[in-house]
Coordinates of all heavy atoms in Angstrom, one line a residue:
Chain B
Q6 N -2.8 6.7 39.4 CA -1.5 6.5 40.0 C -1.4 6.9 41.4 O -2.2 7.7 41.9 CB -0.5 7.2 39.1 CG -0.4 6.8 37.7 CD 0.7 7.4 36.9 OE1 0.4 7.8 35.7 NE2 1.8 7.7 37.4
G27 N -12.4 -2.7 31.7 CA -11.7 -3.6 30.8 C -11.1 -4.8 31.6 O -11.4 -5.0 32.8
F29 N -7.7 -6.3 33.0 CA -6.3 -5.9 33.3 C -5.3 -6.9 32.7 O -4.3 -6.4 32.1 CB -6.2 -5.7 34.8 CG -4.8 -5.3 35.2 CD1 -4.3 -4.1 34.9 CD2 -3.9 -6.3 35.8 CE1 -3.0 -3.7 35.4 CE2 -2.7 -5.9 36.2 CZ -2.2 -4.7 36.0
T33 N -1.2 -4.4 28.0 CA 0.2 -4.1 28.3 C 0.2 -2.7 28.9 O -0.4 -1.8 28.5 CB 0.9 -4.1 27.0 OG1 0.9 -5.5 26.4 CG2 2.4 -3.8 27.2
I34 N 1.0 -2.6 30.0 CA 1.2 -1.4 30.7 C 2.6 -0.9 30.5 O 3.5 -1.6 30.8 CB 0.9 -1.4 32.1 CG1 -0.6 -1.8 32.4 CG2 1.2 -0.1 32.8 CD1 -1.6 -0.7 32.1
G42 N 10.3 20.3 32.1 CA 10.6 21.0 30.9 C 11.2 20.2 29.8 O 11.5 20.7 28.7
W47 N 10.5 6.7 27.3 CA 9.9 5.4 27.6 C 10.9 4.6 28.5 O 12.1 4.6 28.2 CB 9.6 4.6 26.3 CG 9.0 3.2 26.5 CD1 7.8 2.9 26.9 CD2 9.7 2.0 26.4 NE1 7.6 1.6 26.9 CE2 8.7 1.0 26.6 CE3 11.0 1.6 25.9 CZ2 9.1 -0.4 26.5 CZ3 11.3 0.2 25.8 CH2 10.4 -0.7 26.1
M48 N 10.3 4.0 29.5 CA 11.2 3.3 30.5 C 11.0 1.7 30.3 O 12.0 1.0 30.5 CB 10.8 3.6 31.9 CG 10.9 5.1 32.2 SD 10.5 5.4 33.9 CE 11.8 4.7 34.8
P53 N 0.9 -8.2 31.8 CA 0.4 -8.9 33.1 C 0.1 -10.4 32.8 O 0.4 -11.3 33.6 CB -0.7 -8.1 33.5 CG -0.4 -6.7 33.0 CD 0.2 -6.9 31.7
Q65 N 17.9 -0.5 32.2 CA 18.2 -1.9 32.5 C 19.0 -2.0 33.8 O 20.0 -1.3 34.0 CB 19.0 -2.5 31.4 CG 18.1 -2.9 30.2 CD 17.5 -4.3 30.3 OE1 17.6 -4.9 31.4 NE2 16.8 -4.7 29.3
S77 N -5.4 -5.5 39.9 CA -5.4 -4.8 38.7 C -4.4 -3.6 38.8 O -4.7 -2.4 38.4 CB -6.7 -4.3 38.2 OG -7.5 -5.4 38.0
A79 N -0.3 -2.1 38.4 CA 1.0 -2.2 37.9 C 1.9 -1.4 38.8 O 1.5 -0.3 39.3 CB 1.1 -1.8 36.4
Y80 N 3.2 -1.8 38.9 CA 4.2 -1.0 39.7 C 5.4 -0.8 38.9 O 5.8 -1.6 38.0 CB 4.5 -1.8 40.9 CG 3.4 -2.1 41.8 CD1 2.6 -3.3 41.6 CD2 3.0 -1.2 42.8 CE1 1.5 -3.6 42.5 CE2 1.9 -1.5 43.7 CZ 1.2 -2.7 43.5 OH 0.1 -3.0 44.3
S100 N -1.6 -0.3 23.4 CA -2.3 -1.1 22.4 C -1.4 -1.8 21.5 O -0.3 -1.6 21.4 CB -3.3 -0.1 21.7 OG -4.2 0.4 22.6
D106 N -2.8 4.7 25.2 CA -4.1 5.3 25.6 C -4.9 4.3 26.4 O -5.1 3.2 26.0 CB -4.9 5.6 24.3 CG -6.2 6.5 24.6 OD1 -6.0 7.7 24.7 OD2 -7.2 5.8 24.7
G111 N -0.1 10.8 36.2 CA 1.2 11.2 36.4 C 1.6 11.2 37.9 O 0.7 11.6 38.7
V114 N 8.0 12.5 41.1 CA 9.0 12.0 42.0 C 10.2 13.0 42.0 O 10.7 13.4 41.0 CB 9.6 10.6 41.5 CG1 10.7 10.2 42.4 CG2 8.5 9.6 41.5

Side-chain angles (χ1 to χ4, degrees):
Chain B
Q6 299 181 222
F29 178 73
T33 296
I34 297 288
W47 181 74
M48 301 179 70
Q65 283 275 3
S77 300
Y80 299 91
S100 296
D106 187 83
V114 175

